[in-house]
Amino acid sequence: MNPPALFSRRDFLAATAAAAAATATRARGAAAAAPAAGLVDTHVYLGRWPFRRAPLDEPAALVAKLRAHGVTAAWAASLDALLHKDIAGLNARLAEECARHGAGLLVPVAALNPSLLGWERELRRCASEHRMRAVRLHPNYHRYTLADPLAARVLGLAAELGLLVQIPLLMEDERTIHPLVNVPPVNAAPLADLLKKIPALRVQLLNAHRTLRGAPLLSLAAQGVHFDLSNLEGVEGVTHLLSQLPVQRLCFGSYAPVFYFEAAMLKLKESVLDDATLAAVRSANAHRLLARA
Amino acid sequence: MTIWDLHCHLSGIAGATPEARLGNLLAIADRMGIERLCVYMGMTWAHDPSPEKMRQENDDVLRAIAKFPDRAFGFVYLNPKHTAASLAELERCVAQGPMVGVKLWVAQRCSAAELDPIIRRAAELKAVIFQHTFYKLTGNLPGESTPEDFVALASRHPTVPLICGHTGADWERGIQAIRHVGTAHADLAGCDPVAGYAEMAVRELGAGRVIFGSDAPGRSFSSQLAKVHGAAIPDSAKRLILSENLKRLLLPILTAKGIRV
């Protein structure tokens, strides 16, 4: 068994560029036939994953991929938010990058690290100056839990400002995470009490399906919590999830560029979904969720 | 592009019988454009199966593939701790039966010498050999192999093609571990669709040593296919990964058994 020889670097790069262009052309054709309701990706990032380069971690490349697949809006937060301390700087940069790339495609989502002084002022600035309508929190990277009084203050202020709160429960499979940044998943259970105490609070949990399933997930959904499908696994995963979860609670989300965008897209094909369900998951739920925030 | 899936199971999908489960899995595979599935292990799994349990799991697979001979290939599930029983299963299911590959999981680390007679006999039969591997920060099972164990095994059998299941899951390390072993193939299945996986595998191993697998039904076909469909690699590389490499590995045993594809 002699496998084919390795590509030379030049051949590889040339072929890669050609393949990407061809893929974009084909996908543009597919996008033209996409439902008029559009496709809202509630879960993308700009910036770089700290531990590897992703092929689409430049905004222009990500925007091209999203456009090629018919995405009409993408809620973009900053990966820099995980470890950077200058949150004001990265929020300003995020707002500028979203404005510069995509001609309105990218919807900036605020970063916030409430373990740093001045977080309240920064969140207010995101709402008033940057006109951001959502904030994405990473409690596990910023060393607080949703049971901490600090979390109640953060979520309370977000609700007061009319911001949707997105919380990824994890960023990586805990089995293969970098050993120096062994971050546990966020425990979502305290959200139940927070939602009771803060009636105006709107929450979407991202990357939730590895660690939150069954009754705890459904209970939060009954309180209005929304989810994305980025790390939903198992064959016909959307069908199985929606056999329990009200369809109004599920939004399209890809976790690009950390995950291949196509994973989320193909999930809508793997499950047999009627037009109403597809429209809800692709965009209607997201539009409603952000409009309420 | 033609798609053959190296890595499927009968656990985790609806169906009262093995054949019903495979039928349900194939119906989903049809929607995803997957032509053939390699199936191993039974309706319920054991990490360290007794000889009886091993036979029962393999019986499940035999029943399932008998119903869909044109769509599915069976791999025999073996436990190297029970070397004699494993060799007997290899004879029953591959030499005398319709199966075309071997699945080795987590009963015993694959660097152990107990695997040697199994690998030798499987190679004589031209069976495709698949060894699960994982690097778990949370701790591997006692008998769970790492890609280093896999390399140790491959080094003792330098002419036998072997497939490194999951490529260690921590795939950047797994790819580097097997890079210098020309007979080692990377299985893309069973971990998150992290962007860059297929690109690195093709860059470091060559597209001829990378094979698509899903680990369905526990994993979605979607997340695993995305690793190839979404990768910034040439279409020629995608064709190799999605079916041609697996066909090349299977061709000797299919030919020996008179199976046309």
Side-chain angles (χ1 to χ4, degrees), chain B residues 105-118:
Chain B
W105 195 29
V106 296
Q108 186 165 37
R109 292 174 70 157
C110 66
S111 50
E114 286 85 344
L115 272 80
D116 289 342
I118 293 171

Side-chain angles (χ1 to χ4, degrees), chain A residues 77-98:
Chain A
S78 171
L79 280 171
D80 296 343
L82 298 179
L83 300 176
H84 285 213
K85 296 174 187 172
D86 178 9
I87 303 300
L90 75 85
N91 276 325
R93 193 164 62 247
L94 176 72
E96 189 275 326
E97 286 181 332
C98 287

Side-chain angles (χ1 to χ4, degrees), chain B residues 157-175:
Chain B
H157 302 273
T159 62
V160 180
L162 298 171
I163 299 173
C164 184
H166 310 294
T167 319
D170 190 347
W171 44 269
E172 288 143 314
R173 295 172 63 200
I175 290 168

